[in-house]
Amino acid sequence: MDAAKPESGFYNPLESMDREAAAARKFDRLRRLISHAYKRSEEFKARLDGAGLTPDDVASWDDFARIPPLGKKQLLALQDGGAGLARLLTGGVAGLRRIYQSPGPLYDPEGPGPDYWGWAEAFYAAGFARGDLVQMTFSYHLTPAGLMLEEPLLELGCTVIPAGPGNTDVQIDLMTRLPVTGFVGMASYLAVIADKARERGLDLHRDFRLRTAFVAAERLPESLRQKVQNAFAMTIRQGYGTADVGCIAYECAALTGMHVSSRGIVEICEPGTGRPLPPGEVGEVVFTPFADAYPLIRLATGDLSRLDDTPCPCGRTSPRLAGILGRADDTAKVKGQFIYPAQAAEVVAAFPAIVDWQIVIQNPGGKDTIEVRLCCREPLDTAAFAARFQERLKLRPQVTVLPSGENIVSGSPKLLDERRFE
Ligand SMILES: [Zn+2]
């Protein structure tokens, strides 16, 4: 097995800079972005004017948090099927390199410059380096994935095989006939390649030279990571980003979560209000990329996470996102507290007697109630469950153990908000 090349230094000096100095540098860049966007983007000017702010008013992080976030649904409405795209751009179409299309349809303009989407530092942290021959299995047309993730590889001096998705036999031929050391795609697809190669009688260690994979676009369970890493004797690292803004966060060698990118501002905010939350609290990922051509300032991604700002052994000083913990749409606010199914799932996991569960929120007579319905295989200490739930979610639930034979409707949401507001 080829061991992963040891990491030498960092791609961007901001990554290892003293936290306060890095924050000051980012804030300078942010102020330039805000001033530019206010002058050139109709959308951002309207949003700042609507909040009663001018660019000069944004002099601190607290001021920045007063800018209303831009939700995905708002973005869709603003683009208006493409007719409204111009009001989000600062230099019209002429300043762009490409425009992609995401479901919605939502259009994703790509501005000028190398590695516009900012993935190079993520690939560097994953261990990609000059001399790697990398097979790209994301799609190259319409959606940005293939080209967006090829740019950083070229930037790092890697050589790319633009294989695109599918054609597993061809993918295997490429990997075994050429000295392919890198893979970019989905981890689940790498598992498919492993199975197919074994069926063809290939030896995954002898016939493949894979060393590093960068995966994205799906949840990566640790079991899948381990399985594929062991199969090929390689390293797998994942990144998190969106088609609108590019790289938001990525894993380092230490696997302590996903370091936030140097090329933008990551905030964890209360869903709906955009109020920033302290490290450790779950909230919506709000990202501001330093992208002058298409400045999506405070874009609310709809993804939930929390920030970990404890030191990382890799030497990067940036805080880390603790994975993606669900969608902001799947939350409900009760008595001032947000309920996240992911947090409830953590509580449930501590009680092996529980086989299924659902949270139901109602408001009889205008008063919010929260009920946890449980299916259990054996008797449960409901008081202990309620106490644990309250400790984690800050709300005391009514706990109902369903009689045996009665089940929670399969496929129904973990959080059911049945409140009526008339
Ligand atoms: Zn690290």
Side-chain angles (χ1 to χ4, degrees):
M1 144 188 195
D2 292 333
K5 286 177 197 165
E7 228 179 86
S8 55
F10 304 100
Y11 182 76
N12 185 319
L14 276 182
E15 292 173 57
S16 56
M17 197 179 279
D18 164 79
R19 271 193 191 165
E20 273 181 29
R25 284 273 286 273
K26 279 193 168 187
F27 199 74
D28 278 351
R29 178 68 185 87
L30 181 64
R31 288 200 74 176
R32 291 203 304 278
L33 175 71
I34 286 172
S35 150
H36 165 79
Y38 188 76
K39 278 184 219 133
R40 312 288 300 267
S41 154
E42 226 179 277
E43 179 280 320
F44 185 63
K45 182 173 190 310
R47 191 147 47 105
L48 213 58
D49 288 347
L53 294 168
T54 68
D56 286 340
D57 292 333
V58 185
S60 68
W61 291 109
D62 285 345
D63 299 332
F64 177 57
R66 289 165 63 201
I67 301 174
L70 179 64
K72 263 289 179 62
K73 280 184 192 141
Q74 283 167 278
L75 185 58
L76 209 55
L78 283 162
Q79 284 202 358
D80 187 21
L85 185 61
R87 76 174 76 119
L88 289 138
L89 297 170
T90 56
V93 166
L96 303 175
R97 290 218 301 172
R98 299 182 179 105
I99 298 178
Y100 304 97
Q101 182 183 301
S102 295
L106 201 56
Y107 297 98
D108 311 311
E110 178 183 290
D115 188 35
Y116 173 81
W117 303 99
W119 290 99
E121 84 180 61
F123 278 82
Y124 188 90
F128 286 86
R130 174 173 292 278
D132 273 322
L133 176 59
V134 184
Q135 199 154 316
M136 170 64 68
T137 64
F138 279 123
S139 174
Y140 273 83
H141 61 267
L142 275 185
T143 67
L147 284 163
M148 180 193 269
L149 295 175
E150 181 179 294
E151 293 277 327
L153 292 166
L154 301 179
E155 196 57 23
L156 294 180
C158 303
T159 303
V160 179
I161 302 174
N167 283 321
T168 306
D169 277 315
V170 176
Q171 304 273 7
I172 292 171
D173 290 344
L174 287 164
M175 284 180 181
T176 50
R177 291 173 188 173
L178 295 174
V180 175
T181 52
F183 170 91
V184 179
M186 292 200 280
S188 57
Y189 188 49
L190 210 39
V192 168
I193 289 174
D195 289 343
K196 192 91 182 236
R198 284 198 195 96
E199 273 171 36
R200 281 173 53 174
L202 294 165
D203 180 317
L204 300 186
H205 287 196
R206 191 194 61 217
D207 300 320
F208 288 77
R209 280 174 252 195
L210 287 173
R211 185 180 70 74
T212 314
F214 188 85
V215 302
E218 65 177 356
R219 216 174 67 78
L220 175 62
E222 277 312 306
S223 54
L224 177 63
R225 189 205 304 262
Q226 289 306 327
K227 186 181 133 187
V228 181
Q229 284 193 149
N230 295 340
F232 288 104
M234 71 189 304
T235 303
I236 298 179
R237 290 293 178 268
Q238 66 178 327
Y240 162 62
T242 74
D244 341 77
V245 295
C247 179
I248 297 176
Y250 57 86
E251 289 176 339
C252 65
L255 275 189
T256 50
M258 295 187 284
H259 284 281
V260 306
S261 156
S262 303
R263 41 83 71 176
I265 309 289
V266 173
E267 301 167 274
I268 295 293
C269 298
E270 187 180 76
T273 68
R275 186 175 67 85
L277 298 169
E281 284 194 32
V282 176
E284 184 171 13
V285 178
V286 172
F287 188 62
T288 302
F290 297 146
D292 291 320
Y294 181 54
L296 298 177
I297 293 167
R298 299 200 87 209
L299 183 79
T301 61
D303 293 320
L304 297 173
S305 189
R306 62 171 163 249
L307 279 174
D308 178 354
D309 66 352
T310 58
C312 181
C314 78
R316 286 177 183 79
T317 51
S318 55
R320 299 170 312 276
L321 290 180
I324 299 307
L325 309 171
R327 292 283 303 165
D329 305 346
D330 302 333
T331 69
K333 200 174 189 182
V334 178
K335 296 173 187 166
Q337 290 293 333
F338 278 94
I339 300 172
Y340 300 110
Q343 282 182 323
E346 286 171 15
V347 176
V348 168
F351 295 86
I354 303 171
V355 289
D356 202 2
W357 58 279
Q358 185 173 47
I359 297 171
V360 182
I361 303 162
Q362 292 172 321
N363 59 345
K367 192 170 175 289
D368 288 347
T369 62
I370 170 165
E371 180 192 8
V372 185
R373 293 178 188 162
L374 301 171
C375 291
C376 298
R377 71 180 115 229
E378 52 195 73
L380 176 82
D381 182 347
T382 53
F385 177 85
R388 186 80 169 248
F389 188 97
Q390 183 173 14
E391 186 187 38
R392 190 82 184 86
L393 288 96
K394 315 285 178 227
L395 287 162
R396 181 134 192 113
Q398 177 200 328
V399 179
T400 307
V401 177
L402 297 180
S404 67
E406 213 177 292
N407 294 316
I408 287 156
V409 181
S410 91
S412 62
K414 286 289 168 216
L415 178 63
L416 211 54
D417 192 346
E418 294 185 336
R419 287 177 291 188
R420 298 268 177 277
F421 299 96
E422 269 122 28

